[in-house]
Amino acid sequence: MEEQVIQTALPPKMRINRLEIKDVTGALAEGVRDFRRFPLFGLFFGGIYALGGLFIVVMLSLYHQPWMIIPVAIGFPLIGPFVAVGLYEISRRHERGEPISWRRVLTEVFRQRERQLSWMAFAVLFIFWIWIYQVRLLLALFLGFKIPASLAAFATVVSTTPEGMLFLMVGTLVGAVIATVLFSLTVISMPLLLDHDIDFVTAMLTSIRTVVENPVPMLTFGLVVAVTAFLALLPFFAGLFVALPILGHATWHLYRRAIASE
């Protein structure tokens, strides 16, 4: 069997650029332009994400666990970068002047299951699972056996009782830490793995290095993503039809500004 050579460091012909806030605003503007150029593709991938979130909410209601809807809705955007792979491919092809068609884009998306990007999917889902586990643990610690049976009752408890408000504050802090870690791991690594044939560990380390070396612009972009995704969830996930494609395209353009290839 032929041995696979694993690249464990950023390739010599790549380097991490210094970013500024104008790079973030520029990437977001380019994300809007790409969505306007290819709206059907954007609505398709955004729709998968939005309908997936709605399906999870419906299933939680059917299985009488409505109290899980809020933490799932908050944690659901954590898996957004993996869903946006098709959007990265569209921006990549447009940038290179290559033809863009449903067959080409979807073929490239499905081809990722044979590449390192599939391992990133496991990492993302694992962290999402950690988030859900932490929510259940915090519920047990702060609310014990008094978990409300309905979403309305749960919202009342967390907003009007001392135990509920403490759960909300601690849960928000824990969620922010997990979201920041996942953002740092994926914001550059996902488009990097699509663009180059390197291992997923190298891609994640490169993503972390990019955030560490550019904390203000990268965390600003992360905050924009978090706020936009949260607002897009409010009208029954409908806002994700537009928010996800814009943020997906913008992530590709931020990656292109952050990683230079000689």
Side-chain angles (χ1 to χ4, degrees), residues 55-66 69:
F55 173 77
I56 291 174
V57 169
V58 170
M59 293 304 294
L60 288 174
S61 298
L62 290 177
Y63 282 93
H64 306 290
Q65 291 185 316
I69 291 176

Side-chain angles (χ1 to χ4, degrees), residues 79-247:
I79 63 176
F82 184 71
V83 181
V85 170
L87 300 166
Y88 305 154
E89 176 64 10
I90 292 168
S91 292
R92 183 172 74 119
R93 285 181 169 274
H94 176 70
E95 182 181 283
R96 297 181 177 184
E98 298 177 358
I100 298 174
S101 67
W102 289 102
R103 182 181 63 82
R104 288 185 173 91
V105 171
L106 294 178
T107 297
E108 187 62 30
V109 170
F110 285 116
R111 194 171 74 87
Q112 299 310 309
R113 72 184 187 278
E114 302 171 356
R115 301 180 64 201
Q116 292 286 305
L117 203 59
S118 62
W119 290 103
M120 279 297 301
F122 281 110
V124 170
L125 292 175
F126 177 71
I127 295 176
F128 180 69
W129 179 253
I130 290 176
W131 160 247
I132 298 301
Y133 177 79
Q134 291 300 318
V135 170
R136 296 178 68 91
L137 179 61
L138 291 173
L139 281 169
L141 288 175
F142 292 108
L143 300 181
F145 298 101
K146 299 179 181 179
I147 300 176
S150 68
L151 179 59
F154 177 71
T156 300
V157 168
V158 297
S159 61
T160 60
T161 66
E163 298 87 354
M165 295 180 70
L166 188 59
F167 160 77
L168 192 61
M169 288 188 293
V170 175
T172 300
L173 179 61
V174 172
V177 172
I178 293 176
T180 301
V181 170
L182 188 57
F183 170 79
S184 300
L185 288 171
T186 61
V187 62
I188 296 299
S189 61
M190 290 290 196
L192 179 60
L193 285 171
L194 177 69
D195 202 27
H196 295 279
D197 192 17
I198 62 176
D199 69 285
F200 78 101
V201 175
T202 298
M204 288 193 295
L205 292 176
T206 302
S207 188
I208 293 173
R209 282 179 52 193
T210 304
V211 174
V212 170
E213 294 182 17
N214 299 280
V216 174
M218 293 302 294
L219 293 179
T220 297
F221 181 70
L223 182 61
V224 171
V225 170
V227 172
T228 303
F230 177 75
L231 294 176
L233 294 174
L234 298 180
F236 300 101
F237 294 83
L240 293 174
F241 277 89
V242 174
L244 180 75
I246 290 176
L247 294 175

